[in-house]
Amino acid sequence: MKYIITMVMLGAVLNNGLNAEAMDQQKTITSQQVKEAKQIPVIRSHDTGIALNGYFDEEGLALWYIDGEEFIMDGTHLKFDLSQDIYGTMFANKTDLDLGRVYNRYFELSGETLYFPLSWKGRQYLFLEGYPNESYSVPFNVSRYEPIDVYKSAIVHKQTSVSLLVKMKEGATRSNSLGARSVKSLVPEMQIEKWTYHSIAEAKSAKQKLDQSGTTYYTEYDTSIQALGKDAIYHHQWSLLNAGQKKGLKGADIGFTAMQNRIQDKKQTKTLVAVIDSGINPSYADFAGKVRMDLGYDFVNHSKVAWDDNGHGSHVAGIIAAGKDNTYGMTGISESASIIPIKILDADGLGQTSDLVSGIRHAVKKGAKIINLSLGGGSVSQSVESALAYAKSKNVLIVAASGNDGEKTVDYPARSKYVLSVGATGRTDRRADFSNYGKGLDLVAPGVSIPSYLQDGELAFESGTSMATPHVAGVASVLYSLKPSIKPSEVEIILKKSAKDLGAKGYDSVYGFGRLDANQAVRYIK
């Protein structure tokens, strides 16, 4: 059976899904309405099991606030039992409240019950609507749930591009743009331009003329790429500590606990890791002090704020750098990692080659030591290859996912010579059936049922080489933190030499140099 778990889409219906009627009602809630709610009482931990009672104002509104960290020791979710006449929504923080940006994942586990994840520190807000001046009573409790499952079948979206990526030869001049409606300098250092046309026919005609002119190194279409998943859920993180749970093989993990013990007294410095993906939701308690939104960028919406509207980027970032032993959600691999969120994938997990090129350049310019690429496709791009070579020349380590088609061909850009490619293993140290393998595969790492964050605060199990790749990026970040002067080539050598050999003895095309071993890797740092 072949399957890919790559993303969860904001607002999508998942299995027993979101309450569509509640979502439609949410759309009527505006920030002005919220501001006009007159009563703002507080819900305390000792109120658990007691109904929230009060009166709606003359507009039928009521607002409560919660300090979520009061409840984190008692469960994972707040639970509100609403009725047909009373509906409500949650705001994760004050910014969301002011913007009217509601929490929109409603699971129909029990009638009109609203479940809200305790992922955020600070203050959250419950907004209720009902009949004006009428009394209300909303039973309230704290519940504990395991991460959700968001398994998806493989869906490949094909996009037809009407843009060309053009690299002119030195000394060649562009006399005209052959009818392009716009010409944009994509990466000045590499002389790569993006020529955009009104139609496929116009772009095809221009490409033919450019190819025949002899003035370009290459001309290629701007093609599509896609996304390729102590603390409350630490016991679910088998990739960090595999004790044989859920039919796993004891010890088939990355040696995280042993690594932590080995380096606990060593000095570690901050390391910038660029996650080029769908963005990040930085507001979780587990991401506090971990995400450099000031260094990121959204190339999809051309915004300085790389906000995650898909979930894939947040899931990847959590694996690398979520906070440790703070009672919230999960544990990330690297305490010293600071994430630069670079958004090139949209809400559907799709993006363009041109944005990947721009994202790589941005990561280099902002000082990233490591670039995580949990994305890819089948086609080789000379523009991306130029960008990867540029990053490599600037001493940046690039880690990419091998792909999720279960085929004997590693996806691109993972098979680039400038990239450390990563396949996925399961709980028994065997290659995941979806994980691509073959020539160019370097390492494997856990990538099946890996828990981490989605874009809306929920913790979820996801599977894919997308989840294996940040395991490698996280361990690489630890190596950099212990020895900031280390070179990318040295990191690659250490990760390969320290890996646990699986499959045929020595290097093989199914497991590469072996499964990531964090504990053995840090032993090479003197």
Side-chain angles (χ1 to χ4, degrees):
M1 176 181 176
K2 187 196 309 183
Y3 61 99
I4 301 177
I5 312 303
T6 58
M7 68 206 67
V8 60
M9 290 175 281
L10 180 65
V13 178
L14 300 176
N15 300 323
N16 289 329
L18 306 179
N19 187 323
E21 180 181 356
M23 289 181 66
D24 288 339
Q25 291 171 327
Q26 288 172 40
K27 294 174 184 177
T28 68
I29 300 173
T30 66
S31 56
Q32 185 59 37
Q33 283 178 300
V34 172
K35 292 174 182 176
E36 290 172 355
K38 295 181 174 55
Q39 297 181 25
I40 310 183
V42 61
I43 303 171
R44 295 295 186 189
S45 57
H46 56 70
D47 296 326
T48 300
I50 302 174
L52 307 179
N53 298 311
Y55 286 86
F56 291 111
D57 65 15
E58 61 272 15
E59 294 183 4
L61 308 176
L63 185 67
W64 293 72
Y65 74 81
I66 302 103
D67 287 314
E69 57 192 307
E70 284 193 24
F71 304 93
I72 194 64
M73 296 298 294
D74 299 319
T76 61
H77 289 68
L78 299 177
K79 176 182 174 183
F80 302 95
D81 292 317
L82 307 174
S83 68
Q84 291 184 344
D85 296 329
I86 301 173
Y87 67 88
T89 190
M90 293 293 301
F91 297 90
N93 48 56
K94 183 62 163 57
T95 300
D96 285 0
L97 176 68
D98 292 339
L99 294 175
R101 184 166 57 203
V102 302
Y103 173 78
N104 66 357
R105 184 188 299 274
Y106 288 80
F107 285 96
E108 294 178 322
L109 298 179
S110 177
E112 299 295 323
T113 301
L114 163 62
Y115 295 85
F116 180 72
L118 291 167
S119 302
W120 294 271
K121 266 192 174 181
R123 186 162 292 182
Q124 293 83 52
Y125 298 84
L126 170 66
F127 182 85
L128 301 173
E129 284 195 82
Y131 292 110
N133 301 314
E134 295 258 334
S135 64
Y136 62 83
S137 181
V138 177
F140 160 72
N141 219 316
V142 181
S143 303
R144 187 173 296 280
Y145 295 99
E146 294 188 357
I148 61 175
D149 285 306
V150 289
Y151 291 109
K152 293 179 178 294
S153 59
I155 302 176
V156 178
H157 299 264
K158 297 291 185 182
Q159 284 191 341
T160 305
S161 173
V162 292
S163 293
L164 300 176
L165 301 181
V166 180
K167 182 176 176 66
M168 303 294 293
K169 289 183 177 178
E170 286 85 355
T173 57
R174 173 164 49 83
S175 57
N176 64 71
S177 55
L178 301 176
R181 61 183 174 89
S182 68
V183 175
K184 176 185 176 183
S185 178
L186 197 63
V187 185
E189 297 89 338
M190 291 172 265
Q191 293 81 49
I192 299 176
E193 297 180 333
K194 179 177 179 179
W195 298 22
T196 302
Y197 292 84
H198 290 285
S199 68
I200 298 172
E202 288 180 359
K204 182 178 180 180
S205 175
K207 186 178 186 306
Q208 289 175 340
K209 292 176 181 177
L210 286 167
D211 288 342
Q212 294 167 1
S213 70
T215 61
T216 65
Y217 282 113
Y218 59 79
T219 305
E220 61 184 9
Y221 292 104
D222 187 7
T223 55
S224 297
I225 55 177
Q226 62 180 348
L228 286 180
K230 304 170 178 178
D231 292 319
I233 66 156
Y234 183 77
H235 62 289
H236 289 294
Q237 293 185 263
W238 67 267
S239 65
L240 305 190
L241 181 60
N242 192 337
Q245 64 267 46
K246 295 189 176 181
K247 299 181 180 180
L249 176 65
K250 186 175 181 180
D253 54 55
I254 69 168
F256 174 79
T257 302
M259 178 197 76
Q260 288 291 99
N261 292 335
R262 190 178 297 280
I263 68 173
Q264 63 181 346
D265 296 325
K266 294 185 178 182
K267 180 183 178 181
Q268 297 184 56
T269 60
K270 289 288 185 182
T271 302
L272 290 174
V273 181
V275 174
I276 300 181
D277 212 288
S278 63
I280 294 175
N281 183 337
S283 60
Y284 310 141
D286 259 340
F287 282 168
K290 294 279 191 174
V291 181
R292 293 294 303 271
M293 294 299 281
D294 59 314
L295 299 180
Y297 192 78
D298 178 351
F299 286 95
V300 176
N301 302 297
H302 307 292
S303 169
K304 292 182 178 179
V305 180
W307 192 269
D308 189 2
D309 54 4
N310 172 276
H312 193 266
S314 295
H315 202 279
V316 168
I319 295 169
I320 298 171
K324 176 178 176 286
D325 293 337
N326 59 2
T327 71
Y328 283 88
M330 60 177 296
T331 295
I333 292 168
S334 177
E335 293 184 72
S336 60
S338 291
I339 303 295
I340 302 175
I342 300 175
K343 181 177 176 64
I344 69 162
L345 301 179
D346 61 18
D348 295 319
L350 299 174
Q352 295 297 119
T353 296
S354 54
D355 287 337
L356 176 55
V357 172
S358 297
I360 293 170
R361 175 178 180 265
H362 184 87
V364 175
K365 291 293 185 182
K366 295 302 180 180
K369 292 287 188 181
I370 303 163
I371 293 175
N372 188 98
L373 299 176
S374 290
L375 47 78
S379 301
V380 174
S381 164
Q382 295 181 77
S383 300
V384 172
E385 197 72 358
S386 296
L388 295 172
Y390 168 71
K392 194 80 169 183
S393 73
K394 299 297 183 180
N395 289 317
V396 178
L397 177 69
I398 308 147
V399 188
S402 72
N404 297 341
D405 304 305
E407 296 179 352
K408 197 175 180 180
T409 304
V410 175
D411 269 1
Y412 186 82
R415 66 176 179 268
S416 168
K417 65 181 180 180
Y418 302 111
V419 167
L420 187 67
S421 59
V422 184
T425 54
R427 296 175 184 269
T428 59
D429 253 353
R430 297 177 65 86
R431 180 184 68 86
D433 60 2
F434 57 77
S435 182
N436 287 7
Y437 59 102
K439 182 180 179 181
L441 181 69
D442 292 309
L443 292 170
V444 290
V448 177
S449 296
I450 304 300
S452 187
Y453 287 102
L454 300 179
Q455 79 280 13
D456 58 6
E458 286 287 355
L459 284 153
F461 291 114
E462 295 204 49
S463 299
T465 54
S466 280
M467 285 66 248
T469 304
H471 280 80
V472 175
V475 174
S477 172
V478 174
L479 299 181
Y480 273 102
S481 74
L482 295 171
K483 187 178 179 181
S485 62
I486 197 169
K487 296 178 181 178
S489 59
E490 295 173 318
V491 174
E492 287 195 34
I493 291 171
I494 288 173
L495 293 174
K496 292 174 181 177
K497 289 175 81 173
S498 62
K500 178 179 174 57
D501 191 19
L502 300 176
K505 187 174 181 179
Y507 178 86
D508 64 79
S509 62
V510 177
Y511 295 99
F513 287 93
R515 192 251 301 134
L516 176 71
D517 190 326
N519 181 47
Q520 293 301 317
V522 298
R523 294 182 66 183
Y524 283 87
I525 303 297
K526 305 300 181 183

